[in-house]
């Protein structure tokens, strides 16, 4: 059995209040390589908290979270940041593309904070173009994001997430700002990427998206249930 | 993170909103411009002030003869001084306490409506006096060697003395009475640049002076060419009176550099405070706008953190952005300031004095202002939690 990409054991996240708010309660989850997992649930169910914990943006109150076998809950802030930069590719609902930079520059941004040699730096644009080709956006390389359609923007954001070969593509409502046609295109892209061996976790409340995933877990009031 | 990437990101962040950046820079531009102008104009103006009294005092040497030294300097010793290389003109002057208050009248008529008796200083001088005091003959002429040889009873009066005595036409050979004797006035001396008190004096040849008890040279006035004053001050006593140098006191101009420092320090301190105040205003401007920018770019900060940027990367980027903004303001400000100095100098016909260090330090000062102004906003940006930033 291969090493799981994500392994959550007894994960709990409480927010300090009176009484404490338990956003995640004793969560167990294993995501294997090449898994395509959808996390569904109504708003306020703890979806976002789970995403933040999975993305190493937030630390759980208790429990264990291993990514590629590395225990993350005991890591210091700087190490978690490094791990986040190298192992996780984020895809956001609102794309988060820098408005004043071309599509290629936005994609290249993914490598700015990874310490690599000077030679790697020189080939960065070539790798960005490669990533853009993977998402079918070669014809928009030097466009500014505001000249792209919503679907194209999300594909550019996915290309950015693909730079440097992450272990996990973590998507937060990736189709939330897209119409049905663009949604279909992005979902087709996910299928394709999964076919290339990528591990994908999608958080969504749209059934259209979750239906395409091979695995589905539902989160309700912080409790995770496999469907 | 590669430093080139950091610079690239900071530049892109700065140029993303060019108009805002330009307006932000404005504060620093004004501050640095003020600083450069005030320092530069102060230096330029300071130099002009010094330049003015340089021309007057830096070429002036006076040799005083000690009171108890009888006849230490002969009248014709002045010729020895004039012969020194670097001396442009020289003259010997003799006066005593007694001769300072002699009664001088222009005629013997007793006019009850006018004061005809004046108490004036009578000095005996050598023939080169008009040149030595840098004055000119307003009317008539100064006495020369011939008058001395013939022991002519002639006098020259100073400009104010002439007015007081009512002498207007020396060409008609008016007479003045010093004590009981009459003397012919042959000229009026005015426009003196040194020894201005001679304007109210009556100058007589040494041959006449003896009658009033002014016999011995008390002072020798020497003018030198620029830069020769120090040398002449050392040589003059020997030339005037070999062997009696100890009896002579030389008054030489102060060292010009010291005079310059004294003037500049006063002016600069005031202007410096002015410029620094403007710089602080500029810094507040940058801090303000950078803080607004940080708040606006929360999502971008979140994105960068999600891409693996550490807190220090975020801090470094905003710090560099504000520093670059300050540097830009500094460069523009320094350029404008130097242009203004040149313009002011051209308008006032001054020689612009540009300190090279000022031109180099001014942009750096702008960068420092930006760096300091960016500290707090950068700290705020770095402290932001990625979860909050991406919300």
């Amino acid at each position: 059995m291969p090493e799981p990409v994500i392994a959550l054991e007894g994960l709990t996240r409480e927010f300090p209040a009176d009484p404490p708010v338990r956003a995640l309660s004793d969560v167990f989850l294993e995501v294997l390589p090449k898994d395509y997992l959808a996390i569904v649930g109504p708003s306020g169910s703890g979806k976002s908290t789970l995403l933040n914990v999975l993305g190493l943006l937030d630390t759980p109150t208790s429990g264990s979270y291993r990514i590629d076998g590395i225990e993350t809950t005991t890591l210091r802030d700087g190490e978690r940041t490094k791990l986040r930069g190298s192992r996780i590719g984020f895809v956001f609902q609102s794309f988060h593309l820098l408005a004043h930079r071309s599509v290629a520059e936005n994609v290249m941004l993914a490598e700015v904070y990874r310490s690599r040699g000077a030679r790697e730096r020189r080939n960065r644009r070539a790798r960005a173009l490669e990533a853009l080709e993977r998402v079918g956006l070669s014809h928009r390389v030097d466009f500014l994001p505001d000249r792209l359609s919503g679907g194209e923007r999300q594909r550019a954001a996915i290309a950015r997430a693909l730079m440097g070969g992450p272990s996990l593509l973590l998507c937060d409502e990736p189709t939330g700002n897209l119409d049905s046609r663009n949604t279909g295109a992005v979902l087709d892209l996910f299928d394709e990427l999964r076919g290339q061996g990528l591990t994908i976790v999608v958080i969504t409340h749209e059934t259209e998206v979750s239906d395409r995933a091979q695995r589905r877990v539902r989160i309700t009031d912080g409790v995770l249930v496999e469907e | 993170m590669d430093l080139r990437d950091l610079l690239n990101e900071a530049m892109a962040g700065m140029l993303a909103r060019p108009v805002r950046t330009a307006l932000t820079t404005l504060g620093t531009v004004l501050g640095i411009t003020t600083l450069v102008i005030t320092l530069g104009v102060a230096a330029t103006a300071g130099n002009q002030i010094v330049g003015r009294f340089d021309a007057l005092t830096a070429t002036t040497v006076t040799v005083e003869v000690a009171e108890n030294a009888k006849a230490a300097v002969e009248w014709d010793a002045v010729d020895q001084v004039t012969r020194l290389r670097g001396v442009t003109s020289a003259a010997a002057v003799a006066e005593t306490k007694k001769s300072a208050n002699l009664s001088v009248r222009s005629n013997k008529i007793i006019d009850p409506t006018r004061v005809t008796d004046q108490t004036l200083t009578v000095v005996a001088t050598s023939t080169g006096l008009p040149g030595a005091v840098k004055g000119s003959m307003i009317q008539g002429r100064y006495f020369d060697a011939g008058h001395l040889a013939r022991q002519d009873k002639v006098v020259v009066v100073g400009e104010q003395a002439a007015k007081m005595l009512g002498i207007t036409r020396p060409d008609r050979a008016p007479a003045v009475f010093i004590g009981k004797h009459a003397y012919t006035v042959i000229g009026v001396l005015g426009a003196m640049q040194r020894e201005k008190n001679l304007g109210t004096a009556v100058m007589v040849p040494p041959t006449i002076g003896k009658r009033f008890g002014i016999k011995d040279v008390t002072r020798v006035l020497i003018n030198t060419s620029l830069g020769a004053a120090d040398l002449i001050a050392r040589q003059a006593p020997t030339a005037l009176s070999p062997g009696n140098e100890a009896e002579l006191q030389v008054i030489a101009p102060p060292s010009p550099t010291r005079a310059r420092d004294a003037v500049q320090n006063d002016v600069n301190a005031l202007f410096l405070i002015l410029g620094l105040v403007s710089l602080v205003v500029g810094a507040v401007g940058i801090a303000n706008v950078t803080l607004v920018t940080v708040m606006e770019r929360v999502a971008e900060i979140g994105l960068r953190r999600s891409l693996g940027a550490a807190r220090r990367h975020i801090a470094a980027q905003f710090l560099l952005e504000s520093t670059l903004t300050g540097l830009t303001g500094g460069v523009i400000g320094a350029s404008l300031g130097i242009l203004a100095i040149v313009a002011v100098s051209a308008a006032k016909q001054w020689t612009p004095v540009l300190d090279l260090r000022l031109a180099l330090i001014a942009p750096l000062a702008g960068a420092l202002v930006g760096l300091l102004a960016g500290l707090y906003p950068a700290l705020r940006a770095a402290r932001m939690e990625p979860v909050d930033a991406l919300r």
Side-chain angles (χ1 to χ4, degrees), chain A residues 61-92:
Chain A
T61 314
S62 64
S64 151
Y65 170 25
R66 272 172 291 136
I67 179 163
D68 289 340
I70 302 164
E71 178 58 57
T72 65
T73 49
T74 54
L75 290 180
R76 283 184 296 118
D77 193 50
E79 288 165 322
R80 280 194 301 132
T81 301
K82 252 184 214 160
L83 206 59
R84 176 163 69 230
S86 59
R87 310 259 172 171
I88 302 170
F90 284 90
V91 177
F92 305 100

Side-chain angles (χ1 to χ4, degrees), chain A residues 52 57-58 77 81 84-85 88 90 92 96 98 100-101 109-110 112-113 115 118 121 124 160, chain B residues 1-2 4-5 9 12 16 299-300 303-311 313 317 386-387 390:
Chain A
N52 289 337
L57 298 169
D58 196 5
D77 193 50
T81 301
R84 176 163 69 230
I88 302 170
F90 284 90
F92 305 100
H96 284 314
L98 300 186
H100 302 278
R101 316 285 285 274
L109 197 65
V112 163
Y113 299 104
S115 38
R121 190 177 180 276
R124 187 182 292 164
R160 181 180 62 198
Chain B
M1 185 181 186
D2 198 300
R4 283 170 295 178
D5 284 331
E9 292 305 310
E300 181 191 325
L303 169 75
R304 287 178 189 276
R305 293 301 307 273
S306 83
L307 292 175
R311 291 184 195 279
H313 292 142
Q317 181 179 343
V387 176
L390 280 169

Side-chain angles (χ1 to χ4, degrees), chain B residues 21-162:
Chain B
T21 306
L23 288 175
T24 312
T25 313
L26 214 56
T28 323
V29 169
L30 289 176
I32 294 285
T33 308
T34 315
L35 203 68
V36 170
I37 290 179
T38 46
L39 283 181
V41 170
T44 303
N47 221 49
Q48 305 311 313
I49 296 164
V50 172
R52 213 166 286 160
F53 71 76
D54 268 357
L56 216 75
T57 57
T59 58
T60 307
V61 176
T62 307
V63 180
E64 305 251 19
V65 182
E67 259 177 59
N68 51 1
K70 288 283 174 200
V73 177
E74 299 295 331
W75 281 100
D76 52 8
V78 175
D79 298 339
Q80 312 299 324
V81 176
T82 317
R83 220 175 285 155
L84 291 175
R85 188 172 169 79
V87 172
T88 53
S89 55
V93 176
E95 59 183 313
T96 62
K97 277 177 190 156
K98 217 179 110 199
S99 77
N101 295 300
L102 283 176
S103 170
V104 179
R105 271 179 298 133
S106 52
N107 54 45
K108 274 190 162 176
I109 296 167
I110 294 163
D111 180 352
T113 62
R114 277 182 65 186
V115 180
T116 51
D117 262 38
Q118 302 284 350
T119 304
L120 296 174
T121 306
V122 175
V123 296
T125 78
S126 60
T127 52
L129 187 83
V133 296
K134 297 185 177 175
S136 59
M137 298 308 296
I138 293 172
Q139 280 173 316
R141 50 172 301 197
Y142 210 73
F143 43 80
D144 59 21
H147 292 107
L148 268 62
R150 291 189 301 272
Q151 305 214 350
D152 284 346
K153 292 164 80 175
V154 293
V155 297
V156 171
V157 293
E159 198 179 1
Q160 284 82 21

Side-chain angles (χ1 to χ4, degrees), chain A residues 10 14 25 46 62-63 83 107 124 126 147 159 162 165 184 207 214 223 227:
Chain A
E14 279 181 354
S25 179
S62 64
L83 206 59
V107 174
R124 187 182 292 164
R147 306 251 334 257
L162 291 176
T207 47
Q214 144 230 23
V223 181
E227 289 200 342

Side-chain angles (χ1 to χ4, degrees), chain B residues 66-292:
Chain B
E67 259 177 59
N68 51 1
K70 288 283 174 200
V73 177
E74 299 295 331
W75 281 100
D76 52 8
V78 175
D79 298 339
Q80 312 299 324
V81 176
T82 317
R83 220 175 285 155
L84 291 175
R85 188 172 169 79
V87 172
T88 53
S89 55
V93 176
E95 59 183 313
T96 62
K97 277 177 190 156
K98 217 179 110 199
S99 77
N101 295 300
L102 283 176
S103 170
V104 179
R105 271 179 298 133
S106 52
N107 54 45
K108 274 190 162 176
I109 296 167
I110 294 163
D111 180 352
T113 62
R114 277 182 65 186
V115 180
T116 51
D117 262 38
Q118 302 284 350
T119 304
L120 296 174
T121 306
V122 175
V123 296
T125 78
S126 60
T127 52
L129 187 83
V133 296
K134 297 185 177 175
S136 59
M137 298 308 296
I138 293 172
Q139 280 173 316
R141 50 172 301 197
Y142 210 73
F143 43 80
D144 59 21
H147 292 107
L148 268 62
R150 291 189 301 272
Q151 305 214 350
D152 284 346
K153 292 164 80 175
V154 293
V155 297
V156 171
V157 293
E159 198 179 1
Q160 284 82 21
K163 266 183 203 149
M164 286 152 86
L165 292 167
I167 294 167
T168 50
R169 300 284 300 271
D171 53 319
R172 291 189 181 170
V176 292
F177 292 84
I178 306 174
K180 288 176 183 169
H181 302 279
Y183 300 89
T184 311
V185 177
I186 57 168
V188 177
L189 176 65
M192 280 88 83
Q193 285 182 41
R194 58 186 289 203
E195 299 285 325
K196 287 184 179 162
N197 53 344
L198 288 181
T200 57
V202 177
M203 276 72 71
V204 301
T207 46
I208 303 295
K210 285 174 196 160
R211 298 181 185 185
F212 312 109
I214 34 181
K215 201 167 63 184
D216 301 324
V217 175
T218 52
R219 204 156 71 238
V220 180
L221 312 173
I222 305 170
N223 294 306
T224 71
S225 47
L226 206 63
D230 278 353
L231 184 70
I232 298 301
R234 265 179 282 133
Q235 292 176 343
T238 315
L240 285 168
S241 184
N244 289 332
E245 291 94 332
E247 310 287 352
L248 308 180
Q249 194 197 348
V250 180
I251 301 164
S255 167
T257 48
R258 212 170 293 162
R260 183 167 298 149
D261 288 348
V263 173
Q264 278 186 9
N265 284 348
D266 289 351
V267 183
N268 281 10
L270 185 74
F271 283 130
L272 202 66
I273 291 169
L274 253 163
L276 287 178
V277 167
S278 344
L279 260 197
V280 169
V281 173
V284 171
I286 293 187
N288 226 339
V289 174
T290 309
L291 202 57
V292 170

Side-chain angles (χ1 to χ4, degrees), chain A residues 140-205:
Chain A
R140 294 281 189 264
V141 167
D142 290 316
F143 279 48
L144 286 180
D146 56 6
R147 306 251 334 257
L148 303 184
S149 74
E152 284 173 329
R153 285 184 211 188
Q154 194 57 296
R155 268 153 50 199
I158 292 168
R160 181 180 62 198
L162 291 176
M163 277 283 271
S167 311
L168 170 71
L169 200 61
L170 193 58
C171 313
D172 181 16
E173 302 279 7
T175 57
N177 282 351
L178 302 179
D179 58 22
S180 58
R181 195 168 57 85
N182 278 318
T183 299
V186 166
L187 292 178
D188 289 345
L189 178 61
F190 282 161
D191 286 342
E192 206 180 307
L193 291 173
R194 196 195 155 225
Q196 292 167 10
L198 204 66
T199 312
I200 302 173
V201 172
V202 180
I203 290 187
T204 184
H205 65 269

